[in-house]
Amino acid sequence: MSRYVYTGDAVPLLTGDNREPNELDSDDGEIIFDRSTSNVPPGAGEVAQRRLTYEEAIEEAGFGLFHWLLLLLCGWANASDAVEILCVSFLLPTARCDLLLSSSDMGLLTASIFLGMMVGGYMWGYLADQRGRCKVLVVSLSVNGLFGGLASAAPWFWLFLLLRFISGVGVGGSIPVIFSYFSEFMPRLRRGAMISALATFWMAGNILAAGLAWMVIPRTWAHFSLGGLDFQSWRVFVVLCSVPSLTSALLFRLLMPESPKFLMEAGREREAIRVFRLMFELNTGRRGQPFPEFGLCTSSKKREEADDLKLLVSRREQLANILKKGVKPIQQMFRGVLRSRSIVVLIIFFCISFGYYGLWMWFPELFTRIENGGSPCANVSLPSPLQNHSCYPVKTAVYLEGFVIAASNLPGNIFTILMMDNTGGKTLLSCSLMASSLSVFLIYMVQTKAQSLVLSCVFSGVSVIAWNALDVVGTELYPTHLRSSALGFFTGVGRVAAITGNMVFGKLVDTNCAVPVLLVSALLLTGGLMALLLPQTRQTELN
């Protein structure tokens, strides 16, 4: 962000100035507030006149307790999204009997949450860039948890499908926004490793979902009657999976501040300095000492856009202007220097989402089909059972295997944290996608259940490196005013790919299982090659 020489009267910092933020005059890049030199001791003028960019202010606030608490809270939110998405895959082997599902119906059910995420991804991302990250996170997490929990009581397939779709709308908001929010508190030199650490909580959510499925779904104590509804154990599992999202929404509402980067871009300097002060106090433990004196290079661009909107008299004009502004970030992403990287990122998101979710969501079902031995595609001639006696008693081994595959994420996450800042996201992204492609190809080639389980674990451990690298690269490729919108748009594209992948698996898993499995391998290889075209973003400043 550019700096300007400040020549006007100094605005008091954290003192008795009673003007509201919208009463302060500023131009793009102007120093919104500074401490007057008349009230500082001799020799301190040089410090008092410091004017810091966002990156410099983040460094001034230090690194410590605040960032570790932020990691825990944002990580729990990220884990809650993983639980809500992956819970559908674990309930398929039993819910298909109670809801009378064919393989096509199961493909539609696994696709429903991704359809909701596609709808919600860009919408929430745009709102986060306009209204603030924290507010959007609270609302989207609440939608996710509330409708995800209500789905447990749905007696019919179409109602269960609808509620899962609405839950997906909430998930679509929290996933892209949480990474934008988190990255905007991080010092430049620690950003890659910390975002990688945040991404590891997806593994925690995966393990939590698999563990809950293993402990709850096969148990007879989790079966009871609720009115006229036979509340099977898988419904209890669905209720438990909604708890992380609801608790995350509550924690963000009560504890978390707004992103200081967003506040600076919005011209809300008083609130931004309060956040920096909070960070400084928690990181240094100096609650009784004065906060360092500095001014901020900030922007009034968003405020000017809001004032322009207020000048519109007609509601129709206001609506047209809002829609125009909603499309504007997409247009900016595909112009100028951002155009080529946006096309590459779009292709990568499609490839990895089709491959990962298309295969991962069907792992429990595929392992159910190989209980008697053979490869995942060896028993494709077996019809999908539609009667209760076909699913009960529940086979515990299926959920144990799911838990093992989920836990195999751990080595990949540790590797990412250790190597991200040294190697860079581009290299890790490309190499991990190519390795994932090879592991999927070998899953199709093997002939025993043990071999399938080992290669599935390899795929789990390697593919998580790709996701972590993509999370880091995605936050560093775009400027602040486009970051959440861009991630929301690309995750929306990813949801289209996930929907397509699940529908393809649902249609072909009973007739020609080789086609979707080999297609996943080919797409992951394509994504790995495309990643080589991205610019290196290792330890770059956030624009």
Side-chain angles (χ1 to χ4, degrees):
M1 187 176 293
S2 60
R3 301 187 185 186
Y4 293 78
V5 177
Y6 182 68
T7 58
D9 295 332
V11 180
L13 170 63
L14 301 176
T15 55
D17 189 297
N18 295 322
R19 288 182 292 174
E20 293 299 321
N22 58 9
E23 297 175 329
L24 299 175
D25 296 326
S26 66
D27 294 319
D28 191 24
E30 181 184 356
I31 306 307
I32 295 299
F33 57 90
D34 206 349
R35 187 178 293 275
S36 173
T37 58
S38 61
N39 296 324
V40 296
E46 185 174 330
V47 175
Q49 290 297 324
R50 285 188 305 163
R51 293 177 286 274
L52 304 185
T53 63
Y54 155 76
E55 293 284 0
E56 293 168 338
I58 284 289
E59 295 292 340
E60 192 74 27
F63 181 88
L65 178 61
F66 175 87
H67 294 90
W68 296 116
L69 293 175
L70 180 72
L71 176 63
L72 290 176
L73 292 176
C74 291
W76 182 240
N78 191 31
S80 71
D81 289 332
V83 170
E84 198 64 38
I85 293 173
L86 299 174
C87 77
V88 172
S89 66
F90 290 109
L91 60 84
L92 284 180
T94 50
R96 64 179 180 180
C97 297
D98 295 316
L99 298 176
L100 304 178
L101 305 181
S102 64
S103 293
S104 295
D105 292 333
M106 288 190 286
L108 186 60
L109 180 58
T110 55
S112 63
I113 192 167
F114 296 109
L115 180 60
M117 292 167 70
M118 180 185 68
V119 173
Y122 184 76
M123 176 187 73
W124 294 116
Y126 173 75
L127 289 175
D129 284 337
Q130 300 299 315
R131 301 297 182 183
R133 296 12 177 159
C134 197
K135 292 179 181 178
V136 166
L137 282 172
V138 171
V139 177
S140 60
L141 286 167
S142 299
V143 171
N144 177 8
L146 178 61
F147 287 93
L150 290 175
S152 65
W156 309 290
F157 170 61
W158 66 266
L159 182 58
F160 189 81
L161 194 68
L162 175 63
L163 293 172
R164 296 303 304 176
F165 165 78
I166 300 175
S167 174
V169 173
V171 177
S174 53
I175 287 181
V177 177
I178 196 69
F179 282 93
S180 294
Y181 176 81
F182 183 77
S183 67
E184 290 169 1
F185 285 95
M186 291 297 130
R188 177 173 57 88
L189 296 180
R190 295 179 181 265
R191 188 173 297 128
M194 291 298 288
I195 295 177
S196 298
L198 174 61
T200 63
F201 281 85
W202 184 272
M203 173 202 66
N206 197 339
I207 293 174
L208 178 59
L212 285 174
W214 183 22
M215 291 186 295
V216 174
I217 295 180
R219 314 304 171 190
T220 56
W221 58 261
H223 175 210
F224 58 91
S225 296
L226 184 65
L229 180 66
D230 187 16
F231 216 82
Q232 295 284 356
S233 57
W234 66 266
R235 295 184 183 272
V236 178
F237 170 68
V238 172
V239 173
L240 293 176
C241 286
S242 69
V243 173
S245 295
L246 294 175
T247 54
S248 294
L250 182 62
L251 290 172
F252 270 91
R253 178 66 180 85
L254 296 177
L255 302 177
M256 302 307 294
E258 185 53 82
S259 159
K261 179 66 170 172
F262 170 82
L263 294 173
M264 289 176 66
E265 289 292 321
R268 294 157 61 179
E269 70 285 349
R270 293 174 183 264
E271 296 173 65
I273 202 65
R274 281 199 293 267
V275 175
F276 285 125
R277 176 195 282 173
L278 172 65
M279 295 170 63
F280 176 82
E281 291 176 347
L282 287 177
N283 288 336
T284 64
R286 301 173 184 173
R287 289 186 174 274
Q289 298 186 18
F291 183 68
E293 302 169 356
F294 57 82
L296 290 177
C297 301
T298 186
S299 172
S300 61
K301 183 177 180 180
K302 288 191 176 182
R303 189 192 312 158
E304 292 170 357
E305 291 177 350
D307 292 339
D308 292 340
L309 184 59
K310 292 178 182 178
L311 295 176
L312 297 175
V313 179
S314 169
R315 290 197 174 191
R316 181 178 297 178
E317 289 178 329
Q318 292 183 6
L319 178 60
N321 188 73
I322 291 173
L323 293 175
K324 183 179 179 180
K325 288 174 63 180
V327 177
K328 186 177 180 181
I330 299 180
Q331 296 174 335
Q332 293 175 333
M333 286 159 46
F334 290 92
R335 288 178 181 170
V337 296
L338 297 179
R339 180 179 179 180
S340 58
R341 68 180 62 176
S342 295
I343 294 174
V344 172
V345 173
L346 185 149
I347 295 173
I348 292 173
F349 261 96
F350 185 91
C351 292
I352 190 174
S353 297
F354 185 104
Y356 179 83
Y357 290 115
L359 184 61
W360 190 271
M361 299 294 284
W362 283 86
F363 266 147
E365 176 65 17
L366 292 176
F367 275 102
T368 299
R369 299 184 179 210
I370 60 175
E371 278 299 303
N372 296 325
S375 70
C377 293
N379 298 317
V380 295
S381 60
L382 296 178
S384 183
L386 294 178
Q387 302 299 326
N388 281 13
H389 65 79
S390 301
C391 295
Y392 298 98
V394 179
K395 296 179 179 179
T396 307
V398 172
Y399 298 100
L400 175 60
E401 290 155 359
F403 181 81
V404 171
I405 295 174
S408 63
N409 280 181
L410 182 59
N413 279 294
I414 295 175
F415 180 83
T416 307
I417 294 174
L418 296 177
M419 298 300 296
M420 181 61 69
D421 284 330
N422 294 323
T423 306
K426 172 184 174 179
T427 303
L428 288 180
L429 177 61
S430 178
C431 293
S432 58
L433 282 173
M434 293 181 187
S436 298
S437 171
L438 178 61
S439 65
V440 173
F441 179 77
L442 294 176
I443 287 175
Y444 167 72
M445 297 296 293
V446 298
Q447 296 298 319
T448 68
K449 178 182 176 181
Q451 292 172 340
S452 297
L453 179 59
V454 170
L455 285 171
S456 298
C457 290
V458 172
F459 170 75
S460 174
V462 175
S463 62
V464 75
I465 299 176
W467 279 113
N468 294 349
L470 190 57
D471 290 333
V472 174
V473 172
T475 59
E476 295 178 338
L477 284 175
Y478 295 93
T480 300
H481 70 283
L482 290 177
R483 188 168 298 118
S484 288
S485 296
L487 292 178
F489 172 77
F490 289 126
T491 52
V493 172
R495 303 321 161 204
V496 173
I499 292 168
T500 306
N502 279 280
M503 296 297 289
V504 168
F505 263 87
K507 291 293 184 181
L508 298 178
V509 71
D510 288 333
T511 57
N512 197 343
C513 178
V515 173
V517 173
L518 295 179
L519 182 58
V520 165
S521 179
L523 286 174
L524 291 173
L525 177 61
T526 301
L529 295 174
M530 293 299 296
L532 296 175
L533 302 177
L534 289 174
Q536 182 62 266
T537 60
R538 181 165 58 96
Q539 296 183 352
T540 57
E541 293 187 1
L542 291 184
N543 296 322

